[in-house]
Amino acid sequence: MAGKTLLRTWLKTCLKTRLTGGKALTPAVVVACLTGLALTGNAAFAATRFAPPDYIGSLDPNLIWEILLGGFVVLSFLAAVVVWVVSAFRRVQRQQLRRDTFVSSAFNHLGQGVVILDADRRLLFCNERYLDIYGLKRSEIFKGITSTGLRELRSARGTLDAESVEFFAHPMPKGSFVATLPDARSVVVKVNPLPNGGFIGIHEECTEQRKLAQELESTKKFLEMVVDNIPVALIVQNVEDGRYLLANRGSEAVINRRREDITGLTTEDIFNAREAKLIVSRDQAAIHKRGMISEEHPISTEAGLRLFLTRRVTVLGDGGAPQYLIKTYEDVTDRRQTEARMAHMAYHDGLTDLPNRPAFMQALAQMIEACGNVAEEFAVLSIDVDGLKEINDVFGYAIGDKVLIEVGQRIQGAAGGGVVARLGGDEFGLIIDGKQPQGGRAIAERIAELLGHQFSIDGKSVRAGVTIGISLFPRDGTDAAALLANAGAALFRAKATSRGSISIFEPEMDQQLRDRRLLHQDLSAAIHNGELSLHYQPQARAGQTVVDDDITGFEALARWIHPSRGFVPPGEFIPLAEESGLIVEMGEWILRQACVEAASWPVPLQIAVNLSPAQFMHGDLVGLVHSILFDTGLQPGRLELEITEGVLIEDFERGLALLRRLKALGVRISMDDFGSGYSSLTYLQAFPFDKIKIDRAFVTNLGHNPQSAAIVRAVIGLGHGLDVSIVAEGVETQEQPSFLAKEGCDGVQGYFIGRPAPIGQYAGLIGRTPAVRDVERKAG
Ligand code: C2E
Ligand code: CA
Ligand code: CA
């Protein structure tokens, strides 16, 4: 009966199961069946199982029914068990699948490529990123593919790198490396063994990071290189603990050790106690200031004690507190020495090492300030060395320089504590205090005497002299410029008086200088205003008598009739024109005028024109002469150019070259004022002059001075020896031409023959008016 009840229960349950259609009820079915089996008893089942078949017909139908029912129950139970097992298995499978799907989808979402191999290095798993990195397709990854197969695939895709090949050649690959793919991408590969003997590999592309890292590395290297090569020592310290963080190569002189060895050390570790204390206190001052502190101090280095310029800069941290201290040390020993030298040079003359003009002006200003308050006097001397040009010319500049040095020393010796300066080429200055003008004059005389003594330089005896101008404070000026200018005016007067003289400033000298300046202004307008003209002075063959027929030519001499001053002598305006360069324009006018004039003469006499050294230094003199000859049609052989040795003194090579080119034009070249200079003989040797004009001074003295006669005789002999014609200038008396003729002089010129005059006065000589006797002089 219990079986029936159970069956009903089971049926009901089954029905319920159907109704709810559920997998959820399967356990209930199983429980019902198990209960039914327990209650129906083993006997019924045993009878059903073990009763022979021929007994079946004799069995009680109830029993049969019960056996059937029992069998049915057992079968149902077994079916339920099978169903339960299968469904449990499926569930596990589904869960597994879900887990796999979850894991692989999780792996596929990773930024890194993941690949898992088994102990035989066969692929168990790889994620999408892995395929992506190496350009592989899921479809070509067949089951059981080995790591070698994977690499072959990558090789075919062009994504296999040498590093992987080398790494996986190892029997137990482990660790990490950076693979550089053929397309220049970089991948970090990390490989770890798994407990089952397999491997897991993590592949992460790092092209960008690597590029950045490389850039960073090169930037770091670049900065290190820059820091190392800046030409100052650089040290960076941590403010908090005072430890050194960085030092460049340049700092190794300062820290006396390799820069690599300095990191982490403190000042106390590097320097001795005394130095360290000093450095730390300076560091503290800079940190306290939070700005820059620079100072100079000596530091002992391997190269000895050197002067360093140190700068300390405090770098503030984010919180505003000092974080780093940057220190630079610059060795300024050489620079400071150069600066000192330059400062010295700026105020000293390089040759004599005496104070120069600016220094002299400063000293003068200080002297004025000092004496002005106490009503003291002092004198300013402007000292001009005579004969330096000639010394340079004869003995060379090296000797000339040594003479200047010696002159400076002699002036200093005489000055007795006064300020001595070299103001320019051969000009020295001196400030001397004491009672004036006696004080200044006494010193000037001492200097003149001392410089009058012969100089013995490099075994050569050299003579020089001085001309001195003096101005007095406060009488002649109360500022430095006025005092020096007035000493200069006195010097100018002294030079005009005679070389070697001493002159004290007088107010009218100032007036003369001012006049000169005014005259200069007027001179520049003179050419355009037609104030210039030419006078002509005849030159004749030397003889006992000089008649018209003896006239060989004329010397053109410039004349200036100033609108208000009247006649201004050439000795005054020619030097003015030379100083200002006006002579170039003026000389061109004179040359053209003289050539135009001479070309118009019916009698083709010579025309001599004076040239200034300045005309050789500026402009195209040869071109000018050539074009004037061409324009005027004057025969080149009729033109004679008179030059003084100044042309060759200024610039020997240039002067000589120009003279040669002029001569090549066919014009004649005369050496003027022969004997008045220093070195005319030297130049006679250098250039084949056509004519030598003996200076007036020798001719004038002929009657009075036996030496003059000897000199004139010697020059005439020299001329004959060199085949150069000799003309005597300044012939004023009857005796002179006959003496000169006797000695064999070729030509004469002077007032005795004819004074310089407008050409109209010599119209007969040049054939413009016939039958006029211009020149008739009979020698005595
Ligand atoms: P210089 O070339 O030696 O000219 C001769 C000077 O001696 C002229 O002076 C002339 O007037 C003067 N003289 C001629 N015969 C006698 C004489 O018997 N006794 C005396 N006491 N003097 C005589 P000037 O004309 O005053 O010229 C002076 C200097 O000016 C010239 O000396 C020359 O160096 C220069 N000079 C004159 N004209 C020119 C010129 O056109 N160009 C250049 N560059 N210099 C010129
Ligand atoms: Ca002359
Ligand atoms: Ca002359």
Side-chain angles (χ1 to χ4, degrees):
M1 280 315 284
K4 283 178 191 164
T5 320
L6 198 78
L7 191 64
R8 269 198 302 275
T9 313
W10 179 70
L11 282 171
K12 266 187 211 162
T13 309
C14 280
L15 198 65
K16 226 173 173 181
T17 303
R18 287 257 182 282
L19 285 172
T20 50
K23 311 168 213 164
L25 296 181
T26 313
V29 175
V30 173
V31 171
C33 290
L34 282 173
T35 315
L37 184 68
L39 294 181
T40 43
N42 288 329
F45 282 100
T48 315
R49 250 175 113 185
F50 300 110
D54 37 324
Y55 290 124
I56 289 172
S58 59
L59 285 176
D60 178 6
N62 272 347
L63 183 67
I64 291 169
W65 182 240
E66 278 188 13
I67 287 170
L68 275 174
L69 262 179
F72 178 72
V73 167
V74 168
L75 282 175
S76 301
F77 173 72
L78 284 175
V81 167
V82 168
V83 167
W84 181 73
V85 167
V86 166
S87 86
F89 180 72
R90 286 229 179 105
R91 202 169 58 237
V92 167
Q93 254 190 339
R94 271 200 305 277
Q95 276 173 355
Q96 179 70 35
L97 194 69
R98 266 208 300 276
R99 224 179 5 252
D100 282 356
T101 312
F102 172 75
V103 168
S104 65
S105 97
F107 271 133
N108 283 337
H109 278 90
L110 278 181
Q112 292 111 321
V114 178
V115 58
I116 302 173
L117 302 171
D118 67 10
D120 299 329
R121 296 204 188 177
R122 287 183 186 285
L123 180 75
L124 288 177
F125 172 79
C126 73
N127 71 352
E128 290 303 321
R129 182 66 188 135
Y130 175 82
L131 300 174
D132 189 35
I133 290 174
Y134 297 110
L136 304 176
K137 289 195 193 83
R138 177 68 70 192
S139 57
E140 57 195 4
I141 310 292
F142 53 87
K143 194 169 156 43
I145 187 170
T146 61
S147 68
T148 312
L150 277 174
R151 280 196 294 281
E152 278 163 6
L153 271 180
R154 278 175 55 188
S155 174
R157 294 285 163 276
T159 54
L160 183 62
D161 56 281
E163 293 86 353
S164 294
V165 174
E166 199 189 317
F167 185 84
F168 288 105
H170 197 271
M172 291 296 291
K174 181 179 183 301
S176 62
F177 63 95
V178 176
T180 306
L181 305 193
D183 59 5
R185 282 181 297 140
S186 304
V187 180
V188 190
V189 181
K190 287 183 191 145
V191 176
N192 278 311
L194 295 172
N196 65 356
F199 301 95
I200 179 164
I202 311 289
H203 298 241
E204 186 167 13
E205 209 187 312
C206 60
T207 314
E208 273 308 302
Q209 292 93 313
R210 223 170 132 73
K211 219 171 100 189
L212 282 175
Q214 275 164 354
E215 275 170 13
L216 207 67
E217 183 60 21
S218 77
T219 306
K220 195 176 149 229
K221 276 207 184 108
F222 170 72
L223 287 177
E224 265 177 8
M225 191 261 290
V226 169
V227 166
D228 251 357
N229 284 289
I230 49 173
V232 292
L234 178 96
I235 291 171
V236 182
Q237 260 174 289
N238 194 18
V239 166
E240 199 183 347
D241 53 10
R243 296 199 181 278
Y244 287 65
L245 299 174
L246 181 148
N248 71 348
R249 284 267 167 256
S251 67
E252 288 172 1
V254 181
I255 50 178
N256 286 331
R257 64 188 68 206
R258 280 157 39 84
R259 69 178 180 115
E260 289 83 357
D261 305 337
I262 201 176
T263 322
L265 300 183
T266 63
T267 301
E268 287 82 358
D269 300 331
I270 297 168
F271 298 95
N272 68 39
R274 195 178 51 82
E275 284 173 334
K277 199 174 159 202
L278 208 74
I279 294 170
V280 169
S281 77
R282 287 190 179 121
D283 291 350
Q284 287 308 323
I287 293 166
H288 185 72
K289 192 186 170 196
R290 296 183 172 211
M292 187 167 87
I293 286 188
S294 46
E295 55 202 335
E296 265 173 44
H297 46 84
I299 293 181
S300 60
T301 69
E302 279 173 350
L305 200 66
R306 308 281 297 175
L307 186 67
F308 277 85
L309 166 68
T310 60
R311 293 196 179 90
R312 287 171 163 81
V313 184
T314 314
V315 179
L316 305 181
D318 291 340
Q323 190 171 10
Y324 303 115
L325 180 65
I326 301 176
K327 294 194 268 189
T328 63
Y329 295 78
E330 198 176 346
D331 187 337
V332 290
T333 319
D334 297 336
R335 195 200 301 168
R336 292 293 175 258
Q337 276 168 0
T338 308
E339 280 168 4
R341 261 202 303 277
M342 279 167 70
H344 184 84
M345 268 159 68
Y347 286 101
H348 287 79
D349 163 53
L351 179 68
T352 60
D353 206 33
L354 287 173
N356 59 9
R357 184 179 283 269
F360 188 74
M361 296 307 274
Q362 267 187 17
L364 205 49
Q366 283 166 5
M367 196 72 177
I368 291 167
E369 208 179 301
C371 294
N373 304 328
V374 288
E376 291 252 3
E377 296 177 312
F378 66 87
V380 178
L381 276 68
S382 180
I383 305 163
D384 194 76
V385 183
D386 299 329
L388 191 74
K389 217 172 188 182
E390 288 80 2
I391 292 169
N392 278 336
D393 197 52
V394 174
F395 299 107
Y397 283 96
I399 299 277
D401 285 353
K402 286 181 180 167
V403 168
L404 277 173
I405 294 170
E406 176 105 26
V407 165
Q409 285 165 353
R410 288 191 192 183
I411 295 175
Q412 262 186 316
V419 179
V420 181
R422 185 174 172 214
L423 303 181
D426 54 3
E427 194 189 347
F428 290 80
L430 170 62
I431 306 168
I432 199 84
D433 55 5
K435 190 92 197 95
Q436 301 305 339
Q438 305 89 306
R441 183 178 284 282
I443 289 282
E445 280 164 3
R446 255 230 324 278
I447 290 170
E449 202 225 309
L450 275 176
L451 287 185
H453 298 164
Q454 199 164 279
F455 292 82
S456 177
I457 286 163
D458 293 352
K460 295 188 175 76
S461 297
V462 182
R463 278 199 170 279
V466 279
T467 307
I468 301 174
I470 304 175
S471 67
L472 306 173
F473 174 86
R475 196 195 73 182
D476 302 334
T478 48
D479 65 80
L483 280 171
L484 193 62
N486 289 340
L491 175 67
F492 187 75
R493 163 64 72 86
K495 277 185 188 169
T497 310
S498 80
R499 285 275 166 189
S501 61
I502 296 165
S503 157
I504 296 180
F505 179 77
E506 289 156 25
E508 54 276 20
M509 291 176 183
D510 191 33
Q511 187 55 46
Q512 280 165 5
L513 270 187
R514 263 199 289 256
D515 276 3
R516 215 173 120 79
R517 280 197 280 274
L518 281 176
L519 198 65
H520 178 249
Q521 280 171 18
D522 296 344
L523 183 61
S524 47
I527 308 172
H528 305 284
N529 296 346
E531 292 161 20
L532 285 184
S533 63
L534 292 183
H535 278 194
Y536 295 84
Q537 185 178 32
Q539 295 179 338
R541 265 182 292 273
Q544 295 292 327
T545 56
V546 180
V547 293
D548 277 6
D549 288 350
D550 293 319
I551 301 301
T552 52
F554 291 87
E555 177 177 359
L557 293 158
R559 295 291 176 262
W560 179 21
I561 309 296
H562 187 277
S564 59
R565 293 170 198 244
F567 177 75
V568 183
E572 222 172 282
F573 74 82
I574 294 285
L576 260 186
E578 283 175 336
E579 273 170 34
S580 62
L582 256 180
I583 192 71
V584 177
E585 188 190 352
M586 192 185 280
E588 181 178 340
W589 180 87
I590 292 167
L591 187 65
R592 189 175 292 276
Q593 191 65 25
C595 290
V596 166
E597 179 57 49
S600 73
W601 299 340
V603 183
L605 294 175
Q606 292 284 315
I607 178 74
V609 180
N610 293 285
L611 291 182
S612 280
Q615 288 174 270
F616 280 76
M617 298 308 291
H618 308 281
D620 175 17
L621 182 62
V622 182
L624 177 73
V625 172
H626 184 264
S627 75
I628 288 177
L629 288 172
F630 182 81
D631 295 346
T632 60
L634 184 73
Q635 281 291 308
R638 287 179 61 199
L639 179 62
E640 211 168 271
L641 299 174
E642 293 192 5
I643 65 144
T644 56
E645 61 180 33
V647 165
L648 290 161
I649 287 176
E650 293 282 322
D651 186 340
F652 183 76
E653 295 300 333
R654 183 183 166 87
L656 201 62
L658 290 178
L659 285 178
R660 288 194 178 126
R661 289 173 57 202
L662 286 171
K663 198 167 166 136
L665 292 178
V667 303
R668 294 157 61 82
I669 310 287
S670 303
M671 164 74 87
D672 204 354
D673 302 342
F674 187 81
S676 68
Y678 206 81
S679 47
S680 311
L681 278 175
T682 324
Y683 299 128
L684 277 190
Q685 201 186 359
F687 183 77
F689 288 94
D690 296 288
K691 187 185 269 184
I692 292 170
K693 297 181 79 176
I694 304 177
D695 192 66
R696 201 166 70 220
F698 301 104
V699 179
T700 308
N701 285 328
L702 269 183
H704 328 283
N705 187 332
Q707 282 96 335
S708 289
I711 290 169
V712 169
R713 207 176 278 135
V715 175
I716 293 169
L718 182 79
H720 288 166
L722 293 171
D723 203 17
V724 180
S725 118
I726 305 290
V727 171
E729 290 188 280
V731 174
E732 293 184 359
T733 67
Q734 282 191 346
E735 297 80 28
Q736 286 161 350
S738 57
F739 170 82
L740 291 162
K742 250 199 338 263
E743 293 299 332
C745 185
D746 303 288
V748 285
Q749 180 182 352
Y751 293 167
F752 180 72
I753 320 297
R755 286 184 177 260
I759 197 65
Q761 282 200 25
Y762 298 110
L765 283 179
I766 56 168
R768 223 168 248 162
T769 53
V772 175
R773 179 154 282 235
D774 292 318
V775 172
E776 189 179 5
R777 303 274 184 268
K778 284 202 170 45

